[in-house]
Amino acid sequence: MDTRPVAVVTGATNGLGRLAALDLAQRGFHLGIVARTQAKVDDLRQEIGQLAPGTSVDAFIADLTSLRDVRRVGKEIEARYARIAVLVNNAGLHAFSQRITADGFAEMTAVNYLAPWVLTTTLCDKLVASAPARVVNVASEASRHAGSIDPAHDITTTAEYNRRESAALYGRSKLMDIMFTQELGRRLAGTGVTANCCDPGFNTSGLGRELPMAGILERILKTLHIGDPRRGAGIIVRLATDTALADTTGGYFSVKDANPLVCPEPGRAKEIQAELWDTTATLLDGILSSAE
């Protein structure tokens, strides 16, 4: 029987998530990897096998643009494990033009905010039963470019946008992640489950892969040692494992020495954070009930 603590990680087959998964494996975690394809998990499993022989790696295949699929895989994860020590919502994207999911949401909103919300709420009972446990959400200081927040509008808008306009929309999706994390921290108070998020800084992690010449730019930055993703992965793992943070919840932390950050003003108040949560729950009720 495998007695290692379980860490569930999304977006772990490349970029920051891959490095965080490798680190967690070396720290003795049993990994549950949420990914789009089995082949990518197999590649990661092989790499982990070389660095941390004996590590168990389970694959959970899901399309994070489909919230029904996220709910389904969340239930699979819940059924698979007796206990979950850590949930890392790392998967994200920066889309430079509008794409609409089958559920009718903007793809960037679905992947960056709604999918983590659905996966986390699906696993909440299991996490509480597993306490002490931790939820780590990967946010971004791009949230400071959001400008404003109107939950009902911002969750549902599918208006067209261009590359320049995408920055504010990406930032707004990350602002919602911070707001969600802080509201989650309040809702889980006293359960032994903590919820924190981080700004992983600038990383050459493939997030801007849709840009022209993105591959060439990434190679140049790596050559110049700019945007080392190991720093970004480090703050994720620190929030997941550092004993000094075991009782810290509702925090937003910088890649720079885990210094605490404040949620940008448009989404800082408890009232707007609660409104975002309640609006999300109401909007998704019909979609998720059909996935039961």
Side-chain angles (χ1 to χ4, degrees), residues 6 15 17 21 30 38 41 49 55 61 64 68 71 77 85 94 118 129 171 174-175 194 213 219 266 268 270 272 281:
V6 172
H30 177 143
Q38 181 69 50
V41 179
T55 300
I61 307 306
L64 296 186
R68 293 179 179 87
R71 171 57 65 89
I77 294 167
H94 187 150
V118 171
K174 290 300 182 178
L175 174 60
T194 63
M213 301 180 70
R219 287 194 293 272
R268 191 178 304 168
K270 294 179 182 179
I272 192 68

Side-chain angles (χ1 to χ4, degrees), residues 5 11 19 92 97 102 108 112 118 134 215 224 241 267 276:
L19 293 174
S97 61
M108 191 152 57
N112 292 357
V118 171
R134 307 189 193 196
L224 296 174
T241 63
L276 175 67

Side-chain angles (χ1 to χ4, degrees), residues 8-254:
V8 175
V9 186
T10 71
T13 56
N14 54 47
L16 299 181
R18 171 183 151 274
L19 293 174
L22 292 172
D23 194 336
L24 290 169
Q26 291 175 295
R27 292 170 185 261
F29 281 85
H30 177 143
L31 296 179
I33 303 301
V34 180
R36 192 155 188 160
T37 69
Q38 181 69 50
K40 287 188 174 183
V41 179
D42 290 342
D43 290 342
L44 178 64
R45 182 183 285 115
Q46 183 175 6
E47 189 172 6
I48 288 173
Q50 295 171 349
L51 287 175
T55 300
S56 297
V57 180
D58 299 321
F60 297 94
I61 307 306
D63 177 359
L64 296 186
T65 70
S66 168
L67 302 181
R68 293 179 179 87
D69 217 24
V70 176
R71 171 57 65 89
R72 172 194 59 77
V73 85
K75 289 187 171 296
E76 288 181 9
I77 294 167
E78 181 183 33
R80 177 76 64 90
Y81 302 120
R83 299 172 62 85
I84 297 173
V86 177
L87 169 62
V88 178
N89 289 304
N90 164 75
L93 66 86
H94 187 150
F96 294 94
S97 61
Q98 185 64 278
R99 295 189 294 265
I100 301 172
T101 71
D103 297 323
F105 296 103
E107 183 184 39
M108 191 152 57
T109 302
V111 173
N112 292 357
Y113 168 62
L114 294 174
W117 192 95
V118 171
L119 184 60
T120 303
T121 55
T122 302
L123 292 175
C124 252
D125 288 346
K126 178 67 70 174
L127 288 162
V128 170
S130 305
R134 307 189 193 196
V135 177
V136 179
N137 295 326
V138 178
S140 172
E141 278 290 80
S143 57
R144 302 197 183 277
H145 302 305
S148 62
I149 185 73
D150 177 354
H153 174 269
D154 293 332
I155 294 170
T156 59
T157 183
T158 55
E160 293 294 327
Y161 59 84
N162 58 34
R163 188 182 303 166
R164 179 179 56 81
E165 295 165 334
S166 71
L169 297 175
Y170 174 76
R172 196 164 294 136
S173 72
K174 290 300 182 178
L175 174 60
M176 289 192 281
D177 282 334
I178 301 168
M179 296 167 65
F180 155 53
T181 303
Q182 296 188 332
E183 177 65 15
L184 179 65
R186 285 188 287 272
R187 289 176 181 247
L188 291 175
T191 66
V193 181
T194 63
N196 293 291
C197 59
C198 63
D199 165 45
F202 173 74
N203 298 276
T204 52
S205 60
L207 188 65
R209 55 187 172 272
E210 296 181 20
L211 286 171
M213 301 180 70
I216 296 173
L217 178 60
E218 183 170 336
R219 287 194 293 272
I220 292 171
L221 292 173
K222 285 181 177 179
T223 300
L224 296 174
H225 303 291
I226 297 173
D228 186 347
R230 288 175 295 184
R231 294 179 66 245
I235 184 60
I236 296 170
V237 173
R238 185 168 178 180
L239 291 180
T241 63
D242 192 338
T243 56
L245 296 169
D247 298 320
T248 300
T249 193
Y252 173 36
F253 295 92
S254 171

